[in-house]
Structures are given as structure tokens and as C-alpha cells.
């Protein structure tokens, strides 16, 4: 479930001249000129919590962290890139304005991602992906990442951690998600996944992690990939690219589907317009579908905008009470979002 966005606060954060700039001025600043650091930011407490969780599991390995443009753990590296906007509340607000949400913007959400990415880092540090039993249970990391995947929501062969049944997307993600569930304090994974095939993966993870205190990491470098200081594009260019990535091509929502929900009959000429109704419920419906599906709010909003414009073109109006229309439309929109 996607948490409600809470802009990170950082009372001890260093002052930045751009912190009071309006969005339009801030967007023309280069990423490298933000001059941000993790130290002293809202992220310090999150990383300290992660270290405490690793310590509680007797794991001596600690990933290193740096700021970049998004969340990722590069192949073969033992560190985690954290998106720059989490290092300052002004940038978190800009992220929410541009993308309608702040990925990792609450303590629980941030910790879920940190645990997942640490699973990748520890996989790389000890070359765990080369172990035969690991490959037998999770599959090979050498399998190419798919352009998209169709999850099976009711499958019990995978743990549930990040949204969109992410463990099903690739063997590497299955491993990282399983590690994250295993690491999470009070997850009670033995009870929660009782009688699930996924329990075998968690039991293997428990056994595997028990061997690490006596193992030597194969990779020990503190290398960083695409650190913020090396990113010379502006925030405006960054968000243009990001919005294109999470946007959609024009959905092919059949007019028939809209006409089943709304009407253009003359006798409904005094009814509220469909476009106005959908515009009013847009923020709430967008959040609800994001919570249910795990889809980015920006992606959902693009589909919504296209539907609203089409309702205007067809001059559609409400054909039934608004409460019923809202419920029926949410179902239709959810199907469209999952398709795109």
C-alpha cells in the first residue's frame, strides 16, 4: 500500500539559498549545484535504523549510500543510491508537485525501500547469486529484466513487500524482497507465510544470512555510480525526462465504456457534466487507485486527464447518482491503469 505523502522535515539541515526559490526558478538549477549531503539530513535517522536492524540480525555488512537522481543499487556494487529530493524538504515538495508523490517520503516507506536495496547490495557483496541453491529457489540473475511483467496477485510463491507484487518481476527482485521481509523487525514471517511456498525462500534466507558473520565479502569498494555531484542537467530537464518515463501514450479507452458510465441523451441536459464530476473526484480517486495498485500517481493522473478530455469532447453527463458513478468509474479506471 502506498503511504500518504509526508514531506520530510529536517530541522538541522544546512541552509541553501535555493530553499526559498519559487518552483520556476528552482527548476533551472542543475542537480550538481544543489550541493546536498546525506549527513545532517532526514536520512541520517533512517540509515541508523537500518544499521540497527542489521546489527540485530548479527550482520556485519553495511552498504554505503550516496545521493543520485533515483533509488537504485548498481549491478556488482555494494552501495545504494538515494534520490536527492529526500535530503531536503524543499526538494521533497518540488517532487510532490512534479510527480504527485514522494517515493520513500515517509519513515515506513523509506525503510521498506532501504531494506530492499540492501538486499541487492548484500547479494552483490558476497556474490550470493552464484550459489546453486539460491539459483534453484529464486532463479538466475542473468535472466534479462522484462520491459513489463504481469503479476499474479494471488501467488503464494513470492513474498509481499513493495507494491505491484514486485518480487515477481525478476529473480534479483525476488531475492531482495525476500531479504527485506526477513530483515523487517516484528515481521513474524514464519507465521505470516505459513503454508506458502515462499516460506522455503525465507527459511533459506535465514540460514544463508546466518553464515555471513564468518564470510568475507567478495566486493569491498565504496564506488558510487552517477552521484549527484556529477549530474549536470537541470531539475527542469530531470523532471521532463521522469514525467515522460512514468507517463503513458494516449490510452485507448473505448467510447463505449464511457457511454456505459455517462450519457449524452437530451433528457440529461441538466445533469452535471462528467468532466466536472471527474475533475472534482480526481485527487481522491488517484490516491485510492495508487494505494490499491501500487502504480505511480503521475501515471494514473495521465490516464485520468485523457478520460476527462474525452468526456468533454463527447459532451457526456452523469446518468446515475454521483456516489454510484464514482464507484463504477473507479473500477473502470483501475482496469485502464493496470493495462497501461
Amino acid at each position: 500500500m502506498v503511504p500518504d505523502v509526508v514531506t520530510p522535515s529536517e530541522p538541522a539541515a544546512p541552509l541553501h539559498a535555493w530553499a526559498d526559490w519559487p518552483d520556476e526558478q528552482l527548476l533551472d538549477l542543475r542537480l550538481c549545484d544543489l550541493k546536498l549531503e546525506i549527513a545532517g539530513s532526514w536520512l541520517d535517522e533512517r540509515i541508523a535504523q537500518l544499521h540497527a536492524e542489521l546489527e540485530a540480525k548479527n550482520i556485519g555488512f553495511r552498504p554505503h549510500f550516496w545521493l543520485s537522481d533515483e533509488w537504485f543499487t548498481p549491478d556488482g556494487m555494494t552501495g545504494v543510491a538515494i534520490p536527492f529530493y529526500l535530503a531536503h524538504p524543499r526538494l521533497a515538495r518540488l517532487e510532490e508537485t512534479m510527480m504527485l508523490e514522494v517515493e520513500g517520503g515517509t519513515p515506513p516507506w523509506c525503510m521498506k525501500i532501504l531494506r530492499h536495496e540492501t538486499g541487492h547490495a548484500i547479494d552483490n557483496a558476497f556474490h550470493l547469486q552464484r550459489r546453486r541453491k539460491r539459483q534453484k529457489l529464486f532463479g538466475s540473475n542473468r535472466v534479462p529484466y522484462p520491459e513489463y511483467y504481469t503479476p499474479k496477485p494471488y501467488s503464494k510463491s513470492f513474498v509481499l513487500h513493495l507494491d505491484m507484487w514486485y518480487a515477481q518481476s525478476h529473480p534479483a527482485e525476488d531475492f531482495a524482497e525476500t531479504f527485506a521481509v526477513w530483515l523487517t523487525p516484528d515481521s513474524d514471517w514464519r507465521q505470516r507465510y505459513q503454508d506458502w511456498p515462499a516460506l522455503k525462500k525465507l527459511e533459506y534466507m535465514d540460514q544463508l544470512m546466518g553464515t555471513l558473520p564468518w564470510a568475507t565479502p567478495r566486493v569491498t569498494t565504496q564506488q558510487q555510480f552517477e552521484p549527484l555531484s556529477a549530474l549536470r542537467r537541470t531539475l527542469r530537464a530531470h523532471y521532463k525526462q521522469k514525467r515522460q518515463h512514468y507517463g503513458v501514450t494516449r490510452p485507448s479507452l473505448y467510447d463505449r465504456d464511457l457511454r456505459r458510465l455517462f450519457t449524452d441523451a437530451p433528457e440529461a441536459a441538466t445533469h452535471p457534466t462528467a468532466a466536472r464530476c471527474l475533475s472534482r473526484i480526481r485527487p481522491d480517486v488517484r490516491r485510492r487507485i495508487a494505494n490499491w495498485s501500487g502504480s505511480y500517481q503521475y501515471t494514473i493522473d495521465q490516464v485520468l486527464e485523457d478520460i476527462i478530455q474525452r468526456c468533454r469532447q463527447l459532451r457526456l453527463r452523469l446518468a446515475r447518482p454521483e456516489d454510484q458513478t464514482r464507484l463504477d468509474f473507479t473500477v473502470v479506471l483501475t482496469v485502464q491503469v493496470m493495462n497501461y
Side-chain angles (χ1 to χ4, degrees):
M1 180 175 179
V2 178
D4 293 333
V5 170
V6 176
T7 302
S9 60
E10 77 181 294
L15 297 177
H16 294 279
W18 46 256
D20 295 324
W21 291 1
D23 287 354
E24 280 301 306
Q25 184 180 1
L26 184 57
L27 286 169
D28 287 328
L29 191 66
R30 296 186 304 177
L31 291 167
C32 60
D33 292 332
L34 291 170
K35 306 298 182 183
L36 287 170
E37 295 182 357
I38 291 176
S41 78
W42 175 82
L43 293 165
D44 273 341
E45 188 175 347
R46 310 284 79 74
I47 293 173
Q49 181 179 341
L50 177 72
H51 287 174
E53 292 175 6
L54 291 169
E55 179 68 24
K57 293 287 191 176
N58 297 316
I59 296 178
F61 169 79
R62 300 290 183 272
H64 60 283
F65 300 94
W66 68 95
L67 295 176
S68 188
D69 57 351
E70 62 179 325
W71 290 101
F72 63 90
T73 300
D75 288 345
M77 294 175 61
T78 62
V80 176
I82 300 176
F84 65 89
Y85 56 77
L86 290 180
H88 199 285
R90 175 65 182 93
L91 298 172
R93 292 195 298 272
L94 180 66
E95 176 76 10
E96 184 174 8
T97 297
M98 301 302 293
M99 302 305 301
L100 305 176
E101 61 188 335
V102 182
E103 187 175 21
T106 65
W109 197 359
C110 187
M111 290 309 304
K112 289 180 74 171
I113 300 175
L114 283 174
R115 294 181 191 114
H116 172 94
E117 296 298 340
T118 298
H120 286 305
I122 206 168
D123 197 9
N124 294 336
F126 293 91
H127 289 178
L128 301 179
Q129 64 270 36
R130 299 182 182 181
R131 301 196 178 199
R132 290 184 178 179
K133 188 171 182 180
R134 193 260 199 213
Q135 292 183 9
K136 182 178 179 181
L137 284 172
F138 295 94
S140 173
N141 278 17
R142 295 182 180 181
V143 174
Y145 269 82
E147 291 187 14
Y148 62 90
Y149 65 100
T150 303
K152 299 176 181 177
Y154 301 105
S155 174
K156 294 186 177 182
S157 296
F158 303 87
V159 298
L160 302 174
H161 182 65
L162 296 179
D163 295 318
M164 293 296 288
W165 305 276
Y166 196 47
Q168 300 183 35
S169 66
H170 188 271
E173 305 304 343
D174 189 9
F175 182 88
E177 287 285 84
T178 303
F179 174 85
V181 169
W182 173 83
L183 182 64
T184 301
D186 302 321
S187 65
D188 196 18
W189 53 266
R190 292 187 188 277
Q191 179 64 33
R192 180 182 180 187
Y193 292 96
Q194 185 178 12
D195 299 326
W196 284 42
L199 183 61
K200 292 183 179 179
K201 297 176 181 177
L202 284 160
E203 290 174 339
Y204 171 72
M205 186 70 67
D206 191 51
Q207 177 270 321
L208 179 62
M209 292 300 117
T211 68
L212 291 191
W214 298 275
T216 302
R218 300 294 185 89
V219 183
T220 58
T221 64
Q222 299 288 299
Q223 186 179 359
Q224 299 180 5
F225 183 75
E226 294 189 349
L228 193 65
S229 59
L231 301 180
R232 306 184 68 82
R233 64 183 180 276
T234 64
L235 283 161
R236 190 181 303 278
H238 164 75
Y239 281 114
K240 179 180 179 180
Q241 181 180 12
K242 188 171 184 178
R243 291 168 76 152
Q244 288 175 342
H245 178 74
Y246 290 110
V248 293
T249 55
R250 180 179 173 83
S252 299
L253 184 71
Y254 295 110
D255 290 354
R256 182 186 64 181
D257 295 331
L258 288 178
R259 292 184 186 280
R260 289 174 63 185
L261 282 172
F262 308 109
T263 181
D264 59 356
E267 55 269 25
T270 60
H271 295 187
T273 65
R276 178 175 297 181
C277 173
L278 297 184
S279 296
R280 184 169 58 254
I281 68 175
R282 183 173 182 168
D284 182 64
V285 168
R286 185 181 67 219
R287 284 192 296 269
R288 288 177 182 273
I289 294 178
N291 287 342
W292 183 87
S293 69
S295 300
Y296 282 88
Q297 288 199 44
Y298 183 76
T299 303
I300 299 169
D301 200 64
Q302 298 307 291
V303 180
L304 257 169
E305 175 62 25
D306 194 81
I307 291 173
I308 291 171
Q309 292 300 325
R310 188 57 180 153
C311 285
R312 286 197 179 101
Q313 293 167 1
L314 297 175
R315 299 181 179 181
L316 298 176
R317 294 179 178 272
L318 267 61
R320 53 181 67 88
E322 184 170 327
D323 288 349
Q324 182 62 44
T325 300
R326 183 191 189 109
L327 178 61
D328 293 343
F329 176 73
T330 300
V331 173
V332 171
L333 180 59
T334 300
V335 172
Q336 290 298 320
V337 167
M338 297 304 286
N339 284 340
Y340 292 98

